[in-house]
Amino acid sequence: MSKQSPSVESLVQRSYRHGFVTDIESETVPPGLSEEVIRLISARKNEPEWLLEWRLEAYRQWQQMRQPDWAQLEIEPIDFQAISYFSAPKSAQDRPRSLDEVDPKLLETYDKLGVPLHERARLAGVAVDAVFDSVSVGTTFKEELRKAGVIFCSMSEAVQDHPELVRAYLGSVVPRSDNFFAALNSAVFTDGSFVYVPRGVRCPMELSTYFRINAAETGQFERTLIVAEEGSHVSYLEGCTAPMRDENQLHAAVVELVALDDAEIKYSTVQNWYPGDEQGVGGIYNFVTKRGDCREAGARISWTQVETGSAITWKYPSCVLRGDDSVGEFYSVALTNNRQQADTGTKMIHLGKNTRSTIISKGISAGRGQNAYRGLVKIGKNAHNARNFTQCDSMLIGKRCGAHTFPYIEVNNPSAKVEHEATTSRIGEDQLFYCLQRGICEEDAVSMIVDGFCKQVFRELPMEFAVEAKALLEVSLEGAVG
Amino acid sequence: MSELAAILARELAAPPAGEAPHLAPWADGLRERARQDFSRNGLPSTRVEAWKYTSLRGLERTIGALGALPAETGPEAPPPLVDGPRLVVHNGQLAAVQGEVPTGVTITDLRTALANDREGLREMLESLPTDQPADGFVALNSADLGPGVLVHVAAGTDAGRLLLQWCSGPSAAGRLCNSRVCVRLEPGARLELIEQFEGEGAAEHCLNAVTQVHLGEQAELAHACFQQWPRGSALIALREIRQAAASRYHYTGLDAGASLVRHDVRTTLAGPGAGCRLDVACLGMARAHADNHLQVTHEAGDCASVQTFRGVLAGRARAVFNGRVLVQPGADGTDASQSSAGLLLSPHAEIDAKPELEIHADEVTASHGATVGQLDEDAIFYLRSRGLDVEAARQLLTMAFCRPVTDAMRPGPLREALSARLDAALQALGSPHG
Amino acid sequence: MLKITDLHARVAGKEILTGLDLEVGAGEVHAIMGPNGSGKSTLANVLAGRDGYEVTAGEIRYQGQDLLELAPEERACEGVFLAFQYPVEIPGVNNTYFLRAALNAQRKHRGEEELDSVGFLRLVREKLQILHIGDELLHRAVNEGFSGGEKKRNEIFQMAVLEPQLAILDETDSGLDIDALKVVAEGVNRLRSPERAIVLITHYQRLLEYVKPDAVHVLAGGRIVASGDAELALHLEQQGYTWLEEGGIAAVGSAGAA
């Protein structure tokens, strides 16, 4: 076998493309967490009493909990009192009425991110809700969606305009005390997106949110809730970036999906938070709880994620397949380079009859990256004829990285059929050689092979995102061979 | 700490008078350290990840004392599974050596070996950690170190076959017996070791057996285990194997009895070019619970490992399979594979599988496949279309399902004996189908 | 021997057979031809009693009994043999062991003594020799890792050993090279006798060059639309199946699963 040429090693470093700070005035609450801070957040957002109580109860539960340590992650201790729990662009007090009123600098930021709201929205027909630090700054295509009966707005607006819907579904999939970070989020969440698709409506366009952490020493705790009524359909995309900072920043979001009778929700994520530098300094801690509830018969929830950023990614987008004949899917690409760590996977909880789930996970480890798939497939007692197929493949690029697979399979019903396959191997030497022999440079060959390795997942992404995901992968991989 | 653990800890702290064994000083030290570890951690609870699926509540109901018992003349050892020299271990104590032990093989009661400080014994015994919460039974075993046997095979000796029969007498009822088996194969030595857990004896008792194996360079051990103890009994068995360069270890496990079984087989491929195969078939009926943990650690490069697990569960039985492949940094050229499959024959049976790969080196090929399901309906129809009735077709396919475990063995009387026991045990699972 | 009257059958809720009539007498070889989706394989599976093939109307008499009343293994024991279009792989079950279990089940049913392994092996070797099949397939698991041709040979070999009264060959000839095709033809011709009946389900006329059928039927849209002698097969070969439609006979291709 041929050894890698040393020149390749030198290709490794390239800086984070989205590492700029936007210089706009923002209003940030001083660091620290207390009931006072929560009351302040709630008051600032003009929230009803029940929501404040809900937050305070979550806070009390959180105080009783300990940060979990079961994952194989090296996490610097997090000082929860050093984080600022609210940071909003100053202009938020009199919120822009339309995109034209949005701070031009902010819009410029999105341009730099490659999210020109107008352009992108117009060209791609994507409705974008952009969350900057903690506050939603503008939603495009609102009018058009309203005509279809779809509600797509920031969580703050939803609390004001649709309190009955928020109250009915908030915390119904991820309870306040579900886990340490979900409890924290429940106490302090500042914004996020809210989507409601009424009965029988097929959402006329892809919905999209861009998240960005800008201010220093802030955490981002957004909360997303998507409810799809009977027979409806919605596809939702989220993209994430953050500027370069020396310290680790915490991103502890909660996403809840509720799919009723025959409804379908497709949730795609392209996550490119700042990963820290080659020495592992800085970077986002991406500790997110995502869960979908196929609450009624025939519901379908599909998670697709491309995780290339963050110092640590720790999340398990899951499906509770409660309704008979409901379907859960999880497609994931997770790439760790340098000192990045990822512990991700999914849980498929089969409760209803004839429920089906598919899990396709592709992990790529380069540099000193550590990449773990952790998942649970549980077939409950009454889940007759449940089916699961899982495929977890890991690719190793370099000698100092690690790839791990920890699947849990629990089967309680004899009519179930569960299949799990996993492979781990080095990037194919013979494939690489074949490309080189045909005159393709090593870097292109690697990204070509990795792209092929991830095809099954990319296929699940909406077109424009698939292109972006592929480009991200290339950037993140640069020079990883060696 | 559980009530049972507290009782056992108390008994360990105050061994019955007149029984103070004269051991090498390091052995006394080891016992004491293990006793302290056990006093601190007790028996593992389901909060410990490695014991997540196994509760010891049933054991707490049946066991109330430590079984520091002499070997009994009680019930005879069961008919041997295969011919050849055999060791009979009663209540954890070496009771008899029968048949002719070949030249180059030395068999010593472990207590004697400890008193005489046999070469290599200390290194072997001290290499086993006892300090983690998951190690409760190992700590208990080490704290009670004494009963058991040392098997030594001299370099280059082809020792043939050795049968180890585990029996319990009536006085073991309600007790937990510890036993330690140490097997050391010098370079180039070969042995076929068969452990047989069969016969009536005391139903409600627990054997906590630790087997430690050291294989020298190019040594080969074929290790088979057949277990069909009566309902009510419990078996906690840890097999810890360390392999030098180019050595071979092949474990074939067949579990078809007892109410609570916990098997750990852990091999470390410490020298380059070593290879191992761990194959287990687990049959459960009634309320049996069997927790199987197979682990291969690749420390050296160019080693190969294979793990196979087949579980067939009827009644309210539950089987757990945890297969783990750990590839340490530098273990390049590793080839590791793992396959597990479960078959549930009853609506109340359960199977939990956790096939793990943990890889820290890069020139590695590792894979695992895990399935849980039913017999293939197409295959059943095919067999029926050739004239077999449904029951016969299912029977045949169930046997075929477990076949990979025995098929991997070297052809010969042992494989035939085990295959026959396997088929008989599968038939005994009855006809809970349909 | 076999009399099918007005047979209607459904697969996954879809009607595939729509009133099929067929009579095959002892000593006869019948070929059933038809385009893809016409219901040929459905007929074979209904005859063998496969789950999921629901007979909604009509009747099948076999040697005076109601065939549909019998379980698949009872049909086999009564002498009905189906050579599968896609023979099933059964890992872990030895081919010889499997065949002996099948033969003895059938012998037991007929009140005959079971064959011991020596007697069985003698029989098996004899059949292999006649069919010019090597004995390596005896040692392998049932169909596991067999090539397409090997699987079909194995079906014919089983047929030769089990000596059925009524053999149904479901597209056993498709995808075979000339040598394998000759094995199939040899197997069928050897089986021919005044007491036995054979139904060849096929897409092509090729096999019929080696096995001369007593009758040829064309199946389309779930019914027999034309019957004739061997000439009909030749005609089909030259004209293809489209002439059926041109001739205005029942629409073809409406049935999805065949």
Side-chain angles (χ1 to χ4, degrees), chain B residues 299-356:
Chain B
E299 272 184 10
D302 301 315
C303 294
S305 68
V306 178
Q307 298 177 25
T308 312
F309 177 81
R310 294 290 178 269
V312 182
L313 288 308
R316 294 184 170 273
R318 183 174 180 191
V320 181
F321 167 69
N322 176 207
R324 182 160 180 241
V325 173
L326 173 61
V327 181
Q328 300 283 27
D332 286 337
T334 289
D335 188 340
S337 73
Q338 201 182 55
S339 123
S340 75
L343 197 56
L344 296 178
L345 302 179
S346 119
H348 304 294
E350 177 173 350
I351 190 154
D352 304 305
K354 191 184 168 202
E356 302 174 60

Side-chain angles (χ1 to χ4, degrees), chain A residues 3 72 370 381 396 398-399 401-426, chain B residues 49 52-53 332 344 346-348 350-374:
Chain A
K3 287 279 165 256
Q72 282 195 325
Q370 295 292 327
K381 233 176 176 26
L396 297 150
K399 290 213 170 294
C401 51
H404 320 301
T405 315
F406 306 106
Y408 292 73
I409 301 163
E410 301 178 5
V411 181
N412 255 307
N413 186 303
S415 62
K417 203 171 230 169
V418 177
E419 287 176 82
H420 173 101
E421 289 170 13
T423 63
T424 303
S425 57
R426 199 183 139 64
Chain B
E49 177 65 22
K52 178 180 164 72
Y53 294 112
D332 286 337
L344 296 178
S346 119
H348 304 294
E350 177 173 350
I351 190 154
D352 304 305
K354 191 184 168 202
E356 302 174 60
L357 300 174
E358 206 174 317
I359 294 167
H360 299 274
D362 83 330
E363 280 184 32
V364 169
T365 310
S367 65
H368 65 217
T371 61
V372 180
Q374 315 77 46

